[in-house]
Amino acid sequence: MRGSAMPSRKFLRRAAIASTSLVAVIAVSAATLWQLDRAFPPPLPEKLTVSTEVQDRDGQLLRAFATPDGYWRLETRLDQVDKQFVDMLVTYEDKRFWNHEGVDVLALARAAGQFATSGHIVSGGSTLSMQLARLIEPRDSRSLGSKLKQMLRAIQIERRLSKREILERYLTLAPYGGNLEGVRAASLAYFGKEPKRLTVSEAALLVALPQLPEKRRPDRNLAIAHAARDRVLSRMASAGLLGEREAARAGLDDVSGLRRSLPALAAHAAYAMLPKAVPGQPLKLTIRKSVQEGLEQVARDAAAKLGARLSVAMVLADSRTGDILGEVGSANFFDASRSGWIDMTKVVRSPGSTLKPFIYGLAFEQGLVAQEMLIEDSPADFGGYRPKNFDMGYQGDVSIREALQLSLNVPAIRLLDAVGPARLTTRFRQAGVNPILPVNEAPGLAIGLGGVGITLRDLVQLYTGLANGGKTHTLHDGTEPADAERTTATILDDQASWQIMDILSGVKPPEGALQRGIAYKTGTSYGYRDAWSVGFDGRYVLGVWVGRADAGAVPGLSGYVSAAPILFEGFVRSGLATVPLPGKPPGAFTPRRNDLPVTLARFGAGSDGLVQASTPTEPAPTIIFPPDGARVDLATNSADASPLVLKLQGGRAPFRWLANGKPLTGIDRRRTATWQPDGTGYSTLTVIDAAGRAASVKVFVE
């Protein structure tokens, strides 16, 4: 009785020994597996080998470069992929993905049972973790041993990566036919878009392709791809992920048999970024993709119309920041006939007449001119230099406004002679632009008509000052060294820059172009080698160059005919909203012609009102008091306010003085004068002699 009711001590002893042995076996097995796991880890690099991406300022793909083994493989994060696609993928491939530890025992049992009853594989039992294991270690066969290795690797992978990381690696490495790997490359190639917002039909096709990527790729086997997509849609409806009607509607969508090229924008900037590449990190440019697409299309279309061997370069920049939003180095990077590989935005060429606005700007700044002042356009000799107009004709007396709008050469050189070529080039250098002069030559009058070298990018940088109240910003696109200096400089004061903007805004648009509310200037270099057009609104500056990369002459090439239409079309196709030009700043001097004082009625007039014909032998005038940059306390806010005494040396009498562009009363032959300021702050004082030569200083009145 007692023996039957209670286990014998011998039995208990054996059971204890068995339990201990089992625990020991389990412990030893676990320790062995742990050691094996450490000794033979799965090949999981911290960073996958992916295509180098060049992105725009907003993270959109501009250009990708294939991996060293020739694949388009774009790194993919879950937030870059449509959520419905991810749900469909998990439902179709591994519905218990979020719960298992790498191996789905139920799925394997189901697959084995189906194989036993049908004699062939009906459905697989591979999890996404097992498929990732196969992707990182491609198998040589479909043997049972290979499958077992995948299962062990999947368990190892699950120990090291989160579910999110496993999905992201699968989405980066999954094959989609040819040299496409990863869902981003596939979506861009087959649909022309990132996989962030896929249609139901597109998502279903991308779910189906990795199972048999070569057999199902739509660009080779459209009917098979179509059928595979429909099977995924049917499975999603059966699983309840899609409604029957939604699945049916998606099944009516066409499957495109086209494989597109991946984005290939901003070629020159993208290649320039490659030395900065860090594996797994995208390279960023300041470019905006929509702007770049528009400008490149304009350049291609324009080059096709212009003819063989001619190319187009364009730079569009934000004048308030210096950011380059679009840049086209050539009409077609791969067009050898146009030397498309040469980035013409950085090649030094003659700028033609595009520097004239800055000559006029200095004259306005120094108080030498007013818009309605008359200036003579007639043959002139400047110490042996005899400029001629582009059309070889002369207009006689014209206003300063008309002279700049018509881009007359002789008036521009008259003004440059007055303000001084050295002063002009100094302003350029202060703005971060170094014009290239002939070897061992000082700045001369010829620079006013293009006798100097400059790049398109530098020219646009100068024009940011006209769009931004006289303040220039160093242009940058992201290709510069990290420690590259970015400067802000004053190329003209705000009133002078507004005068130039106001004049250029009245230039007639080219035939057929829409009025965009922009100010612009054109230029043509000597020998018809370069055609230029630079324009701006209240924020954006666009520069255009047209010509041959080998600097060959092109008969009939001109800025107005060849480059200006591209400028206006470029503004339209950039997609940027036009920013209104700024209004007239306080104190800007714009009298009508009848209201001009006698000293500003005609440029270069003497005391008798006649133009001086002889070249003066006296030195140019120099203001010796107050010195430039001085701070003077005149007690302007008190009853004891006193005038400021002005003194000069050199120059030919009589003299006229101007304060902030407004003439002081009368013409005086003496070399002293007085000025009573009407308030505190910065003021510009200018003296002009009878030969039209001028000197200026800027002072701060306290």
Side-chain angles (χ1 to χ4, degrees):
M1 181 76 175
R2 185 174 57 218
S4 63
M6 297 181 61
S8 67
R9 292 182 179 178
K10 186 176 182 180
F11 175 80
L12 292 173
R13 192 181 306 114
R14 290 178 177 175
I17 293 171
S19 298
T20 303
S21 300
L22 179 60
V23 171
V25 169
I26 293 174
V28 171
S29 299
T32 301
L33 289 174
W34 182 74
Q35 290 292 342
L36 289 172
D37 180 60
R38 294 190 63 187
F40 303 100
L44 288 174
E46 184 178 348
K47 288 289 185 181
L48 296 175
T49 301
V50 295
S51 296
T52 298
E53 295 183 44
V54 180
Q55 297 179 353
D56 81 342
R57 62 193 300 115
D58 301 315
Q60 297 190 70
L61 182 64
L62 290 172
R63 178 176 287 264
F65 295 90
T67 61
D69 52 355
Y71 283 89
W72 297 111
R73 184 187 303 131
L74 305 180
E75 187 171 22
T76 306
R77 303 186 311 272
L78 281 182
D79 60 8
Q80 295 175 300
V81 182
D82 184 76
K83 183 179 183 300
Q84 187 175 45
F85 164 76
V86 176
D87 292 340
M88 292 172 67
L89 174 67
V90 171
T91 301
Y92 192 78
E93 292 284 0
D94 187 1
K95 63 183 179 181
R96 283 178 285 275
F97 170 74
W98 301 105
N99 300 315
H100 63 64
E101 298 297 327
V103 177
D104 187 347
V105 178
L106 294 177
L108 287 174
R110 184 199 66 232
Q114 291 172 339
F115 179 77
T117 56
S118 64
H120 63 275
I121 297 175
V122 176
S123 63
S126 294
T127 63
L128 288 171
S129 303
M130 292 170 63
Q131 293 183 48
L132 176 58
R134 185 174 72 246
L135 292 172
I136 63 177
E137 281 186 305
R139 63 190 179 187
D140 298 327
S141 66
R142 297 173 62 89
S143 65
L144 183 60
S146 296
K147 180 66 72 173
L148 180 60
K149 182 179 180 181
Q150 282 180 28
M151 294 166 62
L152 293 174
R153 286 301 198 199
I155 294 172
Q156 288 182 298
I157 289 170
E158 292 270 353
R159 286 170 51 85
R160 289 166 170 80
L161 301 178
S162 67
K163 292 289 187 179
R164 182 183 182 90
E165 290 171 329
I166 291 171
L167 262 182
E168 289 181 337
R169 293 207 175 202
Y170 173 84
L171 293 173
T172 300
L173 296 174
Y176 281 91
N179 63 345
L180 296 175
E181 288 191 356
V183 69
R184 285 185 61 210
S187 183
L188 289 165
Y190 293 133
F191 312 133
K193 63 181 180 181
E194 293 277 358
K196 184 65 176 176
R197 290 181 177 83
L198 297 170
T199 67
V200 173
S201 173
E202 291 167 346
L205 180 61
L206 293 182
V207 167
L209 287 180
Q211 296 175 2
L212 296 168
E214 291 304 321
K215 185 176 180 181
R216 294 177 177 177
R217 54 186 289 188
D219 60 321
R220 297 280 181 87
N221 303 297
L222 184 58
I224 296 175
H226 197 289
R229 180 208 64 177
D230 290 347
R231 283 195 294 273
V232 174
L233 291 173
S234 178
R235 181 86 67 83
M236 294 304 102
S238 299
L241 190 63
L242 296 177
E244 293 287 349
R245 291 185 178 180
E246 185 179 13
R249 285 196 299 269
L252 296 175
D253 292 345
D254 290 333
V255 174
S256 172
L258 175 67
R259 172 172 166 171
R260 301 165 178 81
S261 298
L262 267 64
L265 298 168
H268 296 91
Y271 278 100
M273 288 291 280
L274 281 180
K276 294 185 175 185
V278 175
Q281 294 185 15
L283 300 166
K284 284 267 191 166
L285 293 170
T286 62
I287 286 171
R288 181 171 293 161
K289 184 177 182 179
S290 58
V291 173
Q292 187 69 25
E293 287 177 324
L295 295 186
E296 290 196 15
Q297 187 61 55
V298 169
R300 284 193 298 269
D301 293 345
K305 293 179 182 178
L306 288 167
R309 306 188 72 177
L310 279 166
S311 193
V312 176
M314 308 172 78
V315 175
L316 191 152
D318 185 337
S319 69
R320 299 178 188 176
T321 64
D323 288 354
I324 293 177
L325 304 181
E327 56 184 339
V328 180
S330 65
N332 187 334
F333 184 82
F334 296 104
D335 189 342
S337 68
R338 305 179 196 272
S339 301
W341 60 86
I342 300 176
D343 185 355
M344 295 305 299
T345 70
K346 298 179 180 179
V347 174
V348 174
R349 304 300 282 262
S350 165
S353 298
T354 57
L355 299 182
K356 287 179 182 175
F358 302 98
I359 300 172
Y360 283 78
L362 285 177
F364 274 108
E365 189 177 277
Q366 295 177 27
L368 299 179
V369 298
Q371 288 197 29
E372 295 303 322
M373 170 190 275
L374 292 178
I375 189 168
E376 187 177 3
D377 177 37
S378 61
D381 187 331
F382 299 88
Y385 179 58
R386 301 180 178 87
K388 296 179 175 60
N389 286 327
F390 184 77
D391 62 0
M392 304 304 292
Y394 297 93
Q395 303 290 320
D397 282 350
V398 293
S399 69
I400 291 292
R401 182 181 182 89
E402 292 169 332
L404 179 53
Q405 289 180 341
L406 296 174
S407 196
L408 301 176
N409 288 343
V410 176
I413 299 304
R414 292 187 190 277
L415 293 180
L416 182 58
D417 188 43
V419 301
R423 179 172 292 180
L424 180 67
T425 56
T426 298
R427 287 294 179 91
F428 291 164
R429 286 192 291 270
Q430 290 173 348
V433 172
N434 292 307
I436 307 302
L437 295 166
V439 178
N440 298 323
E441 284 195 20
L445 296 179
I447 66 176
L449 304 183
V452 67
I454 196 170
T455 68
L456 175 60
R457 185 163 167 162
D458 282 347
L459 188 61
V460 170
Q461 182 165 316
L462 292 177
Y463 271 75
T464 62
L466 299 181
N468 194 41
K471 304 290 185 183
T472 64
H473 290 278
T474 302
L475 297 193
H476 53 274
D477 60 6
T479 62
E480 303 81 12
D483 58 352
E485 183 180 5
R486 296 183 184 180
T487 61
T488 301
T490 299
I491 191 165
L492 294 172
D493 67 29
D494 60 341
Q495 295 191 25
S497 66
W498 179 84
Q499 297 277 7
I500 299 304
M501 179 207 69
D502 185 57
I503 293 174
L504 296 182
S505 66
V507 177
K508 182 181 177 182
E511 186 176 354
L514 296 175
Q515 176 57 261
R516 289 275 300 177
I518 64 174
Y520 81 107
K521 182 72 181 74
T522 61
T524 308
S525 68
Y526 178 77
Y528 303 97
R529 289 175 170 82
D530 310 274
W532 306 82
S533 186
V534 190
F536 56 93
D537 61 14
R539 179 163 187 171
Y540 304 110
V541 181
L542 175 59
V544 176
W545 169 87
V546 177
R548 286 175 48 161
D550 62 1
V554 184
L557 188 75
S558 76
Y560 187 76
V561 174
S562 307
I566 301 174
L567 175 80
F568 278 77
E569 183 67 14
F571 267 112
V572 172
R573 297 290 288 274
S574 73
L576 297 171
T578 302
V579 178
L581 293 166
K584 180 179 177 181
F589 187 54
T590 55
R592 294 175 299 179
R593 182 171 299 172
N594 292 337
D595 296 331
L596 287 170
V598 65
T599 54
L600 288 177
R602 174 184 290 274
F603 180 77
S607 59
D608 56 2
L610 299 177
V611 177
Q612 301 297 313
S614 61
T615 301
T617 58
E618 305 89 345
T622 302
I623 298 174
I624 59 173
F625 188 85
D628 190 38
R631 300 178 72 93
V632 293
D633 187 357
L634 301 179
T636 54
N637 294 325
S638 70
D640 299 327
S642 58
L644 178 66
V645 177
L646 313 176
K647 300 179 181 180
L648 67 90
Q649 287 182 347
R652 173 188 292 177
F655 306 102
R656 59 180 183 270
W657 288 87
L658 302 97
N660 298 320
K662 298 181 180 179
L664 304 183
T665 303
I667 301 177
D668 204 327
R669 304 191 69 84
R670 295 175 300 172
R671 298 180 186 276
T672 61
T674 58
W675 169 56
Q676 183 70 61
D678 55 7
T680 60
Y682 281 106
S683 292
T684 300
L685 301 173
T686 301
V687 65
I688 306 172
D689 74 352
R693 298 172 298 177
S696 296
V697 295
K698 183 168 284 190
V699 298
F700 187 87
V701 178
E702 298 179 332

